[in-house]
């Protein structure tokens, strides 16, 4: 299945922990960005006729896509349709909103243009925690945005929550999980905070002005999973939980090693067996597009058979579907059963019907298990 990702690099204000490529932008820059996306998308469509009409899922992420005005959003959708994307035939089209720019006009444009799924960056339903990590929205704005997206019933809705925030207790987090699980959303993404020492929050932590209790991480994750499952949400990927049928098809395609086109600064794509990365900084991306999008302007990663097998291990173990031993075999590799049974006997994984998958506390050691399995591949 072919996906399509568009990166919108703008945010009204940069959160204190952010490590994405995002920045506040004046109107003229947003207009320039759209002109550049048009050129980038058109250059690709010319070189790969029929590619856009084969796309099955769209994901517009960022940054904050809703930092675009309603007119700019409509223009972006128009650019994609002009390149051959048939919104009517997509299985899923997701647009990310941040609460402060999620208003009736933008939601109406998204719906009219064929968006079928919205993802809302709530992160916490506690004002003091939002303030502590420098989010620009309030809890009230967040809940109003959520109600707006849920009203009308024709959008599937995801909400993002974060845990292990400075000052967050287990009770704070579980309150958020419960409130959100009962709000009508079909999907919740739950991410642990990563403190980057180069960002404002990380600098405060290294100066001792802020603390993040890393010892709470495991308990917060496991208790949230338990509560989400009790509320009818199934963990289908380490950070993603859905009611039946509400899984993100676009993201499942990533974890299934499906291909996807990608446009915008820092966008990563996978097409024709090659992973590619657009220039990360906006100015470099602008030069790349103005130069006609030469292939040598992208970072290309042609995968060896070993890379493909390693990706298969890494991506499949992220999901509840697990790693199929015959799937690995088809790629020309295998892992001795003793290597896997060690994780099974420790209660971190199960092996049944030729599928190896994480269970219980094993999810907390996903990276270790992946590295171990990868190192034993032969
Ligand atoms: S909204 Fe997301 S992308 Fe934007 S600054 Fe905050 S963390 Fe970064």
């Amino acid at each position: 299945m072919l996906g399509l990702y568009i990166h919108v690099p703008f945010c009204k204000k940069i959160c204190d922990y952010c490590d994405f490529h995002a920045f506040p932008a004046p109107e003229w820059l947003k207009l320039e960005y759209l002109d550049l996306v048009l050129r980038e998308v058109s250059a690709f469509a010319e070189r790969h006729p029929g590619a856009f009409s084969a796309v099955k899922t769209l994901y517009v992420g960022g940054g904050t896509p809703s930092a675009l005005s309603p007119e700019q959003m409509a223009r972006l959708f128009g650019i994609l349709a002009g390149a051959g994307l048939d919104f009517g035939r997509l299985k899923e089209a997701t647009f990310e909103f941040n609460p402060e720019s999620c208003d009736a006009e933008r939601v109406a444009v998204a719906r009219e243009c064929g968006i079928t799924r919205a993802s809302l960056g709530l992160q916490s339903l506690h004002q003091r925690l939002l303030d502590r990590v420098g989010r620009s929205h309030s809890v009230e704005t967040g809940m109003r945005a959520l109600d707006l997206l849920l009203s009308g019933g024709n959008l599937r809705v995801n909400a993002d929550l974060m845990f292990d925030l400075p000052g967050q207790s287990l009770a704070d987090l579980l309150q958020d999980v419960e409130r959100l699980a009962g709000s009508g959303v079909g999907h919740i993404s739950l991410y642990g905070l990563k403190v980057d020492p180069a960002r404002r929050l990380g600098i405060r932590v290294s100066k001792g002005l802020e603390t993040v209790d890393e010892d709470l991480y495991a308990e917060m994750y496991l208790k949230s999973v338990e509560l989400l499952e009790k509320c009818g949400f199934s963990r289908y990927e380490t950070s993603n939980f859905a009611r039946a049928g509400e899984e993100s098809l676009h993201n499942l395609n990533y974890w299934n090693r499906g291909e996807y086109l990608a446009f915008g600064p820092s966008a990563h794509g996978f097409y024709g067996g090659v992973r590619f990365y657009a220039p990360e900084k906006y100015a470099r991306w602008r030069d790349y597009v103005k130069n006609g999008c030469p292939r040598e302007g992208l970072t290309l990663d042609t995968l060896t058979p070993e890379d493909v097998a390693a990706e298969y291990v890494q991506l499949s173990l992220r999901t509840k579907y697990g790693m199929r031993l015959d799937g690995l075999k088809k790629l020309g590799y295998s892992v001795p059963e003793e290597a896997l049974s060690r994780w099974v006997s420790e209660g971190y994984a199960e092996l049944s019907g030729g599928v190896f998958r994480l269970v219980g506390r094993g999810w907390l050691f996903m990276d270790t298990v992946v590295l171990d399995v990868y190192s034993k591949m032969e």
Side-chain angles (χ1 to χ4, degrees):
M1 188 169 81
L2 186 64
L4 166 60
Y5 176 75
I6 305 290
H7 187 78
V8 181
F10 311 123
C11 283
K12 184 178 159 203
K13 170 181 174 285
I14 301 306
C15 304
D16 291 355
Y17 57 89
C18 179
D19 62 355
F20 293 107
H21 179 62
F23 55 93
E27 281 310 289
W28 68 263
L29 198 70
K30 293 179 187 171
L31 295 173
E32 180 193 71
Y33 162 81
L34 289 170
D35 287 342
L36 294 168
V37 169
L38 170 63
R39 286 165 74 164
E40 193 184 21
V41 157
S42 306
F44 190 91
E46 247 170 59
R47 287 172 204 160
H48 304 275
F52 280 87
S53 55
V55 168
K56 292 286 178 282
T57 62
L58 166 69
Y59 196 104
V60 185
T64 306
S66 58
L68 298 175
S69 69
E71 296 73 27
Q72 290 162 352
M73 283 171 64
R75 169 130 196 264
L76 176 61
F77 298 134
I79 289 169
L80 301 178
L85 186 73
D86 183 349
F87 279 83
R89 292 182 58 193
L90 293 180
K91 290 179 185 229
E92 182 183 277
T94 304
F95 191 86
E96 283 185 350
F97 290 87
N98 262 348
E100 69 279 358
S101 50
C102 181
D103 57 21
E105 220 184 323
R106 286 180 173 84
V107 174
V109 168
R111 283 191 166 115
E112 279 157 23
C113 292
I115 292 297
T116 55
R117 186 172 181 273
S119 182
L120 182 65
L122 284 178
Q123 317 309 354
S124 173
L125 303 179
H126 286 77
Q127 191 60 50
R128 70 175 207 291
L129 302 181
L130 292 175
D131 293 343
R132 232 155 132 173
V133 294
R135 291 290 304 190
S136 60
H137 70 274
S138 66
V139 173
E140 200 192 336
T141 313
M143 293 313 285
R144 219 180 10 239
L146 186 61
D147 285 346
L148 183 61
L149 293 171
L150 289 168
S151 65
N154 58 350
L155 279 179
R156 295 163 56 207
V157 180
N158 165 65
D160 289 344
L161 267 188
M162 292 179 76
F163 69 97
D164 213 10
L165 297 172
Q168 187 181 36
S169 68
L170 178 62
D172 291 334
L173 173 64
L174 296 182
Q175 238 176 41
D176 286 0
V177 168
E178 191 162 21
R179 190 169 169 199
L180 210 50
S183 69
V185 300
H187 192 287
I188 294 175
S189 297
L190 179 70
Y191 299 104
L193 173 72
K194 283 198 195 94
V195 180
D196 181 335
R199 306 291 161 168
R200 278 193 294 268
L201 180 65
I203 293 168
R204 289 208 298 277
V205 168
S206 64
K207 286 184 176 165
L209 301 171
E210 187 59 277
T211 46
V212 175
D213 188 350
E214 287 174 5
D215 292 343
L216 275 177
Y217 187 99
E219 195 184 8
M220 282 186 161
Y221 179 72
L222 294 173
K223 288 266 163 56
S224 299
V225 173
E226 202 179 301
L227 181 55
L228 281 163
E229 288 180 343
K230 213 188 279 171
C231 295
F233 287 76
S234 159
R235 170 179 48 194
Y236 69 105
E237 192 265 351
T238 179
S239 303
N240 287 285
F241 302 79
R243 292 194 185 279
E246 291 287 333
E247 296 83 0
S248 160
L249 300 179
H250 184 85
N251 289 339
L252 275 173
N253 187 46
Y254 290 154
W255 301 317
N256 287 332
R257 297 198 64 260
E259 297 201 327
Y260 50 98
L261 315 179
F263 301 95
S266 81
H268 296 181
F270 182 30
Y271 191 64
V274 178
R275 295 207 178 265
F276 62 89
Y277 310 91
E280 189 182 343
K281 300 282 179 225
Y282 183 86
R284 293 233 170 100
W285 173 73
R286 173 171 43 203
D287 292 346
Y288 155 74
V289 176
K290 285 193 167 169
N291 284 335
C293 308
R295 197 168 157 81
E296 57 275 16
L298 297 169
T299 305
L300 300 176
D301 196 358
T302 306
L303 303 176
T304 64
E306 191 182 354
D307 294 335
V308 172
E311 280 191 354
Y312 179 72
V313 170
Q314 190 204 359
L315 295 173
S316 60
L317 285 178
R318 296 185 71 89
T319 72
K320 71 171 181 183
Y321 312 104
M323 179 183 86
R324 298 189 62 85
L325 302 188
D326 60 358
L328 192 58
K329 202 164 176 194
K330 270 191 209 143
L331 298 173
Y333 288 85
S334 62
V335 183
E337 215 156 304
E338 323 75 84
L340 303 179
S341 49
R342 174 193 151 206
W343 294 107
V344 175
S345 61
E346 287 181 18
Y348 287 5
E350 64 178 26
L351 180 59
S352 77
V355 179
F356 177 70
R357 58 169 76 82
L358 298 173
V359 294
R361 293 182 65 79
W363 287 94
L364 294 168
F365 296 93
M366 185 176 74
D367 294 341
T368 313
V369 178
V370 164
L371 278 177
D372 184 59
V373 171
Y374 177 53
S375 69
K376 309 252 164 61
M377 242 169 46
E378 51 190 33

